[in-house]
Amino acid sequence: MSHENGPGPHDEHGHSQLIDPEPWGTGDPAVEEIARGGPAAPGQVPAGVSARLYNEDLAPTTRKGRTWHAYSIFTLWANDVHSLGNYVFAIGLFALGLGAWQILLAFLLGAVLLFLLLNLSGFMGERTGVPFPVMSRIAFGIRGSNIPAIVRGAVAVAWFGIQTYLASVVLRVLVLALAPSLAPLDTDSFLGLSTLGWLSFLVLWAVQVVIVSFGMEMIRKYEAFAGPIILVTMLALAIWMFMKAEGSIAWSTADALTGAEMWVRIFQSAALWVVIYGTFVLNFCDFTRGAPSERSVVRGNFFGIPINMIFFAAIVIVLSGAQYRIDGTVIESPIDVVIAIPNTFLLVLACLALIILTVAVNLMANFVAPIYTLAHLFPRTLDFRKAAIISAVIGLLILPWNLYNSPLVIVYFLGGLGALLGPLFGVIMADYWLLRKGKINVPDLYSDSPDGEYAYTGGVNRKAIIAGVPAAVVALILALVPAFTLVAGFSWFVGAILSAGIYMLIMDRHAPFHAVDGEKIAVAPKH
């Protein structure tokens, strides 16, 4: 039987095989040396792949020309870990009764777990060179992959709008500090925002669209630029607060937790810290597909996750403890510290740094995912830039400030979608690492032939859905039903482990899997 996935020999089922099993018989794609051909010509759909599944943005990246080295990956985390939302969460732990060493321990536990998960997810991108929607085709099928892509994209586009709104709030503070005469523009309201609010939002919205329109390489450069600024700014804020508190901080509040309640809160906090990154763990391959080696991924993750998160926890302890020492109150976020800066020049610098930070976080965590989702849904009509514009327009039209101000939307809609990410992660990871052991036929990810390795039944792996649905139901119940509030923070883990277990039980673990490199259909990293 012929097979449309490009040149090369095939087995009796029509699947592409390696020419000589002897040199590549280790079973480990990290050490298998796979025969490589020349990369695909720019602007063309290579022979043997479907135009409905392939374009230059979805194609695997060539090994040559990858630019996401360890520093680039580190700066992703230098920005994202220090997001304003993370500070609100972490400072809240101090208010809930955790002291300095308990907060450090919670974040250290979460960081170790995240480091392991992100390496597993990151290696997948580095080895295959494909973005998350294409990676999802391995477990869910060439058409079933739209399910995880749409869920991830929907969560991201909503948060893109919300984070842009939060950055615009800081910009409004900056504008009013420089031009108090503009205060009347902040008193009216249209669709939930004042005139100054609209202007601030649209300016930052446009800035992000411009950055993203130049592709992933421009995002990499922006993250590299923003990372050091954020680290220095947060350190400066902590030093300023420490000096303001006369060199002494409170190590806990008067209502500090002890005993079993304290330990439960520590483990809950560590779990919630991982859940916060549940979205990014899922599509980390969108970035590591540009990494030149697994060593780059590990080094970037090591300095960006455990090391950077300990630094983050220390900043949280100083900011919270210093304010509590001063007046017995707990701040809500670094914005409270910035607003209290008496010097206008320093206030402006701090506001600019927070805006730079929020934009950096938004680009990586919330803008890239919906772009790839749209490019995956409409590969023949949307490239990276067009998909970016459409994603941005959706993020504007949903009026995200109204979403942010609605607890029901945040908890039930976004919280519910977030709970689905654990089961998706469990299926995808179990399929790649436990079932296939990393053996991926990359060209077949772009083939709509019924004989393709990822064709399944009509392009959908029903067993992946069968494994995911009950796990998703359990995760949703744990996350959203008030009776399970005590274990709600563990819903992501429960969903991931349950879906992975079911998937491994119902899939054929003895099926033949093939490791075929994607270099013949790959394109040079252009973003």
Side-chain angles (χ1 to χ4, degrees):
M1 179 182 294
S2 63
H3 193 269
E4 69 173 35
N5 273 339
H10 307 86
D11 64 12
E12 66 272 18
H13 302 293
H15 296 142
S16 301
Q17 286 187 312
L18 303 176
I19 298 172
D20 179 4
E22 181 65 25
W24 311 290
T26 65
D28 183 357
V31 296
E32 286 177 354
E33 185 176 349
I34 302 174
R36 290 181 166 90
Q44 297 180 2
V45 176
V49 302
S50 170
R52 291 182 294 179
L53 300 171
Y54 180 100
N55 64 27
E56 288 189 20
D57 299 302
L58 299 176
T61 55
T62 58
R63 285 280 169 188
K64 184 178 179 181
R66 294 186 179 185
T67 55
W68 285 79
H69 296 275
Y71 177 75
S72 298
I73 294 173
F74 161 73
T75 54
L76 286 181
W77 305 124
N79 292 305
D80 196 63
V81 167
H82 293 271
S83 73
L84 296 180
N86 285 350
Y87 273 104
V88 171
F89 167 74
I91 292 171
L93 300 181
F94 190 81
L96 289 172
L98 290 186
W101 73 265
Q102 293 102 325
I103 290 175
L104 277 172
L105 178 59
F107 283 106
L108 183 59
L109 291 173
V112 169
L113 196 52
L114 267 177
F115 177 69
L116 297 174
L117 294 175
L118 285 165
N119 281 337
L120 288 176
S121 180
F123 289 169
M124 293 165 62
E126 185 276 334
R127 292 181 179 187
T128 61
V130 303
F132 171 68
V134 177
M135 188 74 70
S136 301
R137 295 174 186 174
I138 300 170
F140 284 86
I142 56 173
R143 289 177 176 78
S145 58
N146 287 329
I147 297 172
I150 289 173
V151 171
R152 175 64 183 101
V155 173
V157 78
W159 280 112
F160 162 75
I162 290 171
Q163 289 285 353
T164 301
Y165 162 67
L166 293 177
S168 73
V169 172
V170 180
L171 182 56
R172 283 161 59 192
V173 172
L174 173 59
V175 169
L176 291 175
L178 292 174
S181 61
L182 296 178
L185 295 178
D186 205 28
T187 58
D188 57 347
S189 179
F190 176 68
L191 295 178
L193 275 188
S194 66
T195 300
L196 184 58
W198 270 103
L199 291 173
S200 300
F201 182 90
L202 291 175
V203 165
L204 292 176
W205 180 88
V207 166
Q208 292 175 93
V209 171
V210 170
I211 293 172
V212 171
S213 68
F214 288 96
M216 289 294 287
E217 181 63 11
M218 182 59 73
I219 293 176
R220 184 188 70 82
K221 290 178 179 178
Y222 183 86
E223 300 292 334
F225 154 76
I229 293 176
I230 301 316
L231 296 177
V232 170
T233 300
M234 292 304 177
L235 179 60
L237 287 177
I239 293 172
W240 183 70
M241 284 295 292
F242 186 71
M243 294 174 62
K244 189 178 177 183
E246 299 179 346
S248 177
I249 67 171
W251 296 102
S252 65
T253 65
D255 301 319
L257 298 177
T258 58
E261 188 179 5
M262 176 193 72
W263 286 106
V264 169
R265 181 71 69 183
I266 288 172
F267 288 115
Q268 278 183 335
S269 303
L272 283 170
W273 190 235
V274 177
V275 171
I276 287 173
Y277 285 90
T279 53
F280 204 42
V281 168
L282 198 60
N283 73 303
F284 190 34
C285 59
D286 286 342
F287 302 89
T288 59
R289 65 190 295 244
S293 67
E294 290 181 3
R295 186 169 180 265
S296 296
V297 176
V298 172
R299 291 182 65 195
N301 283 342
F302 176 73
F303 289 102
I305 300 298
I307 302 301
N308 184 38
M309 285 184 178
I310 291 174
F311 175 71
F312 167 82
I315 298 294
V316 167
I317 290 167
V318 172
L319 292 179
S320 306
Q323 186 65 51
Y324 195 79
R325 173 70 70 186
I326 292 168
D327 60 9
T329 63
V330 180
I331 61 172
E332 293 185 2
S333 83
I335 293 178
D336 295 343
V337 176
V338 170
I339 292 174
I341 295 175
N343 184 287
T344 302
F345 177 71
L346 295 178
L347 172 66
V348 169
L349 290 181
C351 285
L352 284 174
L354 293 183
I355 291 170
I356 290 170
L357 162 65
T358 307
V359 169
V361 172
N362 218 15
L363 292 175
M364 60 176 284
N366 301 317
F367 211 165
V368 171
I371 291 172
Y372 277 126
T373 295
L374 288 173
H376 185 257
L377 292 173
F378 309 102
R380 288 186 286 190
T381 55
L382 295 182
D383 59 14
F384 195 93
R385 179 172 295 182
K386 292 176 183 176
I389 293 172
I390 293 173
S391 298
V393 169
I394 294 172
L396 171 63
L397 293 178
I398 61 175
L399 304 180
W401 46 90
N402 292 329
L403 295 181
Y404 182 72
N405 293 324
S406 172
L408 287 177
V409 171
I410 294 293
V411 172
Y412 290 104
F413 176 66
L414 294 179
L417 284 176
L420 298 179
L421 299 177
L424 293 175
F425 180 81
V427 168
I428 291 170
M429 292 293 124
D431 182 88
Y432 186 98
W433 291 107
L434 301 179
L435 184 68
R436 302 176 188 275
K437 296 179 172 57
K439 292 183 178 180
I440 305 301
N441 186 337
V442 177
D444 266 21
L445 292 172
Y446 301 89
S447 170
D448 57 7
S449 167
D451 297 320
E453 254 185 82
Y454 312 105
Y456 296 107
T457 305
V460 178
N461 182 9
R462 296 176 182 175
K463 291 184 178 179
I465 297 174
I466 291 172
V469 168
V473 171
V474 172
L476 285 169
I477 291 173
L478 293 180
L480 303 180
V481 176
F484 297 99
T485 300
L486 191 64
V487 294
F490 301 98
S491 62
W492 188 92
F493 293 94
V494 172
I497 294 170
L498 187 58
S499 66
I502 297 173
Y503 188 77
M504 291 302 295
L505 283 175
I506 62 179
M507 286 295 289
D508 181 4
R509 284 176 284 177
H510 303 290
F513 303 113
H514 310 98
V516 182
D517 187 274
E519 284 288 311
K520 287 187 177 181
I521 62 169
V523 298
K526 63 173 183 173
H527 294 311

